[in-house]
Amino acid sequence: MQNDEKSSVRVEAVVGLYDYFSWSKGMVDVFVTQIEKDSSYMVISELIRGIAIADSTLGLSYSDKFKDSKNLDALFSVAEVYSVFGDKDDNAFFKELYPKVDGYEILSYIDYYKDYLLRIDNIKVQKEALNVFEKEAGNPLGWFVRYYAIGALTDLRSYYESKSKLYQKKGNEEISVKYTDLVKNVDEMLIRLKQSESDERVFMYDK
């Protein structure tokens, strides 16, 4: 990995190492040494993943370092790390990444952002995010993108519903009601989207 001139070979080496040896003692040090000197963003993007798999705290640190990168490969690796280990403050990253995503890359963005949101117990963050999914649920690029976004909204709705019940059980009626309001917001979105959708495949989640 360290000596091969071809970035594609270094990428394969990194993926092989974190797939099979991320638990090995000293492996994170190998990744860190490489990321500090590698010039290929393809390699760097995989190293960010490898570091996060081996050491989540260090993975977050390197994600923070590359979150302002102009390279989408690196940014999507950061998004993946934040989707698993990030906190509410990392919502700003997803908001800034959104306008940079083009074409079918939006599918990966939807996945990472949804997974991130399903971990974040914060009403403000959730409210800000819903508009993104509603917009993509009307994306003219193709029915599958809209289907994907509807699926994400459906998953988020289930999350809000479970959170509402949890807070009600804890006796926190105020937060419970706020999550119930989010459920209603999603329901209203889905009604609007279904009324304007001409391709029945988009709403296969209803069946």
Side-chain angles (χ1 to χ4, degrees), residues 28 31-32 35 47-56 58-59 62:
V28 70
F31 292 148
V32 167
I35 202 171
L47 285 165
I48 292 170
R49 290 187 175 96
I51 292 169
I53 291 170
D55 184 325
S56 60
L58 203 53
Y62 273 94

Side-chain angles (χ1 to χ4, degrees), residues 125-149:
V125 167
Q126 299 293 340
K127 280 184 176 180
E128 290 177 352
L130 283 178
N131 289 334
V132 170
F133 294 95
E134 183 177 23
K135 183 176 179 181
E136 292 310 315
N139 192 322
L141 182 63
W143 75 268
F144 193 72
V145 175
R146 301 196 297 278
Y147 167 80
Y148 222 66

Side-chain angles (χ1 to χ4, degrees), residues 81-154:
V81 174
Y82 285 163
S83 75
V84 180
F85 302 114
D87 61 25
K88 65 180 179 64
D89 294 331
D90 296 317
N91 190 48
F93 166 81
F94 285 97
K95 289 167 66 177
E96 290 172 10
L97 176 58
Y98 181 49
K100 302 173 185 176
V101 179
D102 189 35
Y104 284 98
E105 291 168 342
I106 194 64
L107 297 176
S108 295
Y109 177 86
I110 289 171
D111 260 345
Y112 293 142
Y113 200 14
K114 180 197 72 174
D115 290 347
Y116 165 79
L117 292 168
L118 291 175
R119 298 178 42 258
I120 303 300
D121 185 3
N122 184 282
I123 299 293
K124 183 175 182 291
V125 167
Q126 299 293 340
K127 280 184 176 180
E128 290 177 352
L130 283 178
N131 289 334
V132 170
F133 294 95
E134 183 177 23
K135 183 176 179 181
E136 292 310 315
N139 192 322
L141 182 63
W143 75 268
F144 193 72
V145 175
R146 301 196 297 278
Y147 167 80
Y148 222 66
I150 292 296
L153 282 170
T154 302

Side-chain angles (χ1 to χ4, degrees), residues 130-192:
L130 283 178
N131 289 334
V132 170
F133 294 95
E134 183 177 23
K135 183 176 179 181
E136 292 310 315
N139 192 322
L141 182 63
W143 75 268
F144 193 72
V145 175
R146 301 196 297 278
Y147 167 80
Y148 222 66
I150 292 296
L153 282 170
T154 302
D155 290 344
L156 288 169
R157 184 194 184 282
S158 296
Y159 173 71
Y160 301 153
E161 200 167 43
S162 66
K163 280 294 183 182
S164 178
K165 291 176 181 177
L166 178 64
Y167 277 107
Q168 188 175 47
K169 190 175 181 180
K170 289 181 176 180
N172 192 330
E173 191 65 24
E174 181 182 358
I175 302 299
S176 176
V177 168
K178 288 181 179 180
Y179 272 111
T180 297
D181 288 341
L182 285 175
V183 172
K184 293 176 181 177
N185 288 349
V186 174
D187 284 342
E188 291 170 359
M189 284 182 184
L190 292 173
I191 289 170
R192 289 195 301 271

Side-chain angles (χ1 to χ4, degrees), residues 5 17 23 29-30 39 52 56-57 72 74 80 85 88 104 123 143 149 182 199 201 204:
E5 293 181 358
L17 287 171
W23 48 267
D29 296 328
V30 173
S39 60
S56 60
T57 301
L72 270 179
E80 185 173 1
F85 302 114
K88 65 180 179 64
Y104 284 98
I123 299 293
W143 75 268
L182 285 175
D199 194 324
R201 294 174 294 180
M204 288 190 290

